[in-house]
Amino acid sequence: MFSMTIDGKPAETVATFDVVNPTSGEVEEQAPECTPDQLDVAMASAQQAFASWRKDADARRGAMEDLAKAIVANADELTAALVRESGKPVAVAAAEPAICATWLGYYAGMDMPRETLVDDDTALIELAHRPLGVVAAITPWNFPLGLAMWKIAPALRAGNTIVIKSSPFTPLASLIMGRIMGEVLPPGVVNTITGGDALGAAMTSHRVPRKVSFTGSVAAGKKVAVSSAADLKRVTLELGGNDPAILLEDADVPDAAAKLLGTAFFNTGQACALPKRIFAPTARYDEVVEAFAAVANSLRVGDPYDEATNLGPLSTKPQYERVTELVADAISHGARVAAGGGPVDGPGFFFRPTVLADVSEGIRIVDEEQFGPALPILRYDDIDDAVQRANDTEYGLCGSVWSADADRATDIAERLEVGTTFINTHAILPPSVQFGGAKSSGLGVENGLPGLLSFTEAQVVHRARAPR
Ligand code: NAD
């Protein structure tokens, strides 16, 4: 039985909701639905724990290192739950507990900066950073543990306490990690709750949290921003993307196709920062389409536990229906299917790795975030036109430019209106590098020192040295 962890203890399960295994398409588990009273208890517990947790940075570092070890020790159980609820191939799922340990170790080892602004006869003025208090953390279903730890590790290091909610599609691994956190950390430091979108909304409008850290869709992110504004909670929003990848005429096409398509279909295409629109020069268009289609056709879709599997199912039924609909819509508007083209027959939410050619703006799969294994390849004649079209979207998460001339590619890459622009690679996201979206892809950043500071409030400490 899966239970929430509130105030360091398993919480009583009052009501439950269904959890579907996307490999079978069947309901396989029940997860606890957090009641309004339980949310209040979780918030009060986090608020109480904050008073002592904020005081001792060395104790926090030690606890974070212990937590990393406990997560590694329980990695098999966490991985199995992830495979069950999300359909990820086991190797992709196994990366998540490892990411958690890496992020905890990175932030446990980081010093909180304290900057001297003035140091003269009159004063010592320093800039320090205080924790905010209780953080409400809300995560999506595509990387349930990894994206949670992008919030938990820096929030804990800075001295905050947390109430965290996973996506209702993928509560299981998060509940297990909640149990582990409850065993290792003092009671109330991290409270793990589960429930639907209404619970997320109740968290953002709750009077206790001083910060909301949200990862999810643009539509929900906008609601979170409005709700948090009521009492000026600090907000970080990591939202969707529609990343462009532009190949220049001198790009190494087979290399770019292998890397870009492998990245685009990582986690069955379900990640925010993946290539979602490919721009190819007309002179090399057919070669590019052929190369991408060959890579797509070489990928195996199937049982997440089969080591030969590259792509598991889409993780949720709505996502499966959405990708199916977007591909059918593109085909009905004249897209040429270079690979794949639709769902796999049979149970579960499996979809064939799909490459669409002869597509352009004005078709939904180009204009919207597809979040699945279906990639449109667009044609361009003029690089300025390609850059303008790449930027002609509300999204601005990442982008990339591919060329044998890295300097020229860098010049073009810097013209993309995105939070991270890559040259001859895409979606490499180490813990030390800040990550965030431009435009509607987000507000604020996670990771690196800026990610840590986003869980603090700056405080000027002004010590007078001489009477004035
Ligand atoms: P979603 O917005 O539907 O849900 C995300 C979380 O928010 C869930 O826990 C959900 O219950 C909760 N939620 C929904 N409505 C809410 C509200 N009004 N107030 C508070 N919480 C609410 O997104 P999803 O479908 O789970 O995830 C996919 C989306 O997440 C994609 O758009 C993807 O690009 C984005 N994403 C972004 C990043 C990033 O770092 N930029 C990373 C991964 C995923």
Side-chain angles (χ1 to χ4, degrees), residues 138-143 147 150 165-169 195-204 214-221 223-224 227 237-241 270-273 276 319 369 371 395 397 435-437 441 446:
I138 300 172
T139 56
W141 46 261
N142 57 333
F143 293 96
L147 292 174
W150 280 21
K165 181 191 98 65
S166 55
S167 164
F169 290 105
D197 298 354
L199 177 62
M203 291 168 72
T204 63
F214 175 86
T215 302
S217 61
V218 173
K223 290 183 193 162
V224 169
S227 168
L237 302 173
E238 293 285 2
L239 309 178
Q270 301 166 118
C272 50
K276 291 175 181 153
Q319 194 55 28
E369 179 185 39
F371 223 64
Y395 293 107
L397 198 53
F435 175 71
S441 285
E446 296 192 300

Side-chain angles (χ1 to χ4, degrees), residues 103 107 135-140 145-157 160 162 164 212-216 236-238 446-447 451 455:
W103 254 252
Y107 277 112
V135 173
I138 300 172
T139 56
L145 300 185
L147 292 174
M149 195 51 77
W150 280 21
K151 305 179 186 313
I152 294 168
L156 291 183
R157 172 64 191 89
N160 303 281
I162 302 166
I164 187 161
V212 178
S213 181
F214 175 86
T215 302
T236 300
L237 302 173
E238 293 285 2
E446 296 192 300
N447 301 337
F455 286 101

Side-chain angles (χ1 to χ4, degrees), residues 121-384:
D121 293 346
T122 63
L124 173 65
I125 306 179
E126 295 173 295
L127 189 65
H129 300 275
R130 297 156 47 80
L132 288 159
V134 176
V135 173
I138 300 172
T139 56
W141 46 261
N142 57 333
F143 293 96
L145 300 185
L147 292 174
M149 195 51 77
W150 280 21
K151 305 179 186 313
I152 294 168
L156 291 183
R157 172 64 191 89
N160 303 281
T161 56
I162 302 166
V163 176
I164 187 161
K165 181 191 98 65
S166 55
S167 164
F169 290 105
T170 54
L172 304 182
S174 309
L175 289 165
I176 296 169
M177 190 158 84
R179 184 197 76 209
I180 297 165
M181 292 190 286
E183 286 161 3
V184 175
L185 302 173
V189 167
V190 182
N191 300 274
T192 303
I193 59 176
T194 46
D197 298 354
L199 177 62
M203 291 168 72
T204 63
S205 62
H206 200 280
R207 61 182 172 74
V208 166
R210 292 315 314 145
K211 161 140 190 155
V212 178
S213 181
F214 175 86
T215 302
S217 61
V218 173
K222 288 178 180 170
K223 290 183 193 162
V224 169
V226 169
S227 168
S228 305
D231 57 358
L232 295 182
K233 291 185 179 77
R234 278 38 182 163
V235 180
T236 300
L237 302 173
E238 293 285 2
L239 309 178
N242 195 3
D243 292 9
I246 303 177
L247 277 66
L248 303 187
E249 317 77 52
D250 65 351
D252 179 342
V253 168
D255 179 66
K259 289 181 180 154
L260 271 170
L261 194 116
T263 306
F265 292 176
F266 173 66
N267 201 40
T268 315
Q270 301 166 118
C272 50
L274 303 182
K276 291 175 181 153
R277 292 174 291 157
I278 306 295
F279 289 86
T282 294
R284 304 194 68 186
Y285 187 78
D286 292 342
E287 183 190 349
V288 169
V289 170
E290 209 173 297
F292 275 74
V295 181
N297 285 327
S298 74
L299 297 175
R300 281 193 48 178
V301 181
D303 176 4
Y305 275 106
D306 184 340
E307 277 181 18
T309 292
N310 302 107
L311 274 71
L314 285 150
S315 293
T316 77
K317 188 157 186 241
Q319 194 55 28
Y320 169 75
E321 288 169 350
R322 177 174 161 76
V323 175
T324 304
E325 189 182 307
L326 290 182
V327 169
D329 173 74
I331 295 169
S332 77
H333 284 87
R336 173 162 59 92
V337 177
V344 176
D345 287 338
F349 308 142
F350 294 93
F351 200 90
R352 286 185 285 152
T354 295
V355 174
L356 298 173
D358 302 337
V359 278
S360 195
E361 289 79 3
I363 294 181
R364 287 183 63 199
I365 199 160
V366 176
D367 297 345
E368 300 177 18
E369 179 185 39
Q370 66 273 52
F371 223 64
L375 193 58
I377 304 191
L378 292 80
R379 192 191 300 266
Y380 74 87
D381 291 314
D382 171 65
I383 187 61
D384 291 334

Side-chain angles (χ1 to χ4, degrees), residues 1-2 13 15-19 29-33 168 171-172 175 194:
M1 184 63 194
F2 290 85
T13 297
T16 63
F17 59 92
D18 293 344
V19 183
E29 195 54 74
Q30 294 294 309
E33 176 86 51
L172 304 182
L175 289 165
T194 46

Side-chain angles (χ1 to χ4, degrees), residues 428-447:
I428 305 294
L429 309 175
S432 57
V433 178
Q434 72 170 57
F435 175 71
K439 303 198 283 191
S440 290
S441 285
L443 198 66
V445 297
E446 296 192 300
N447 301 337

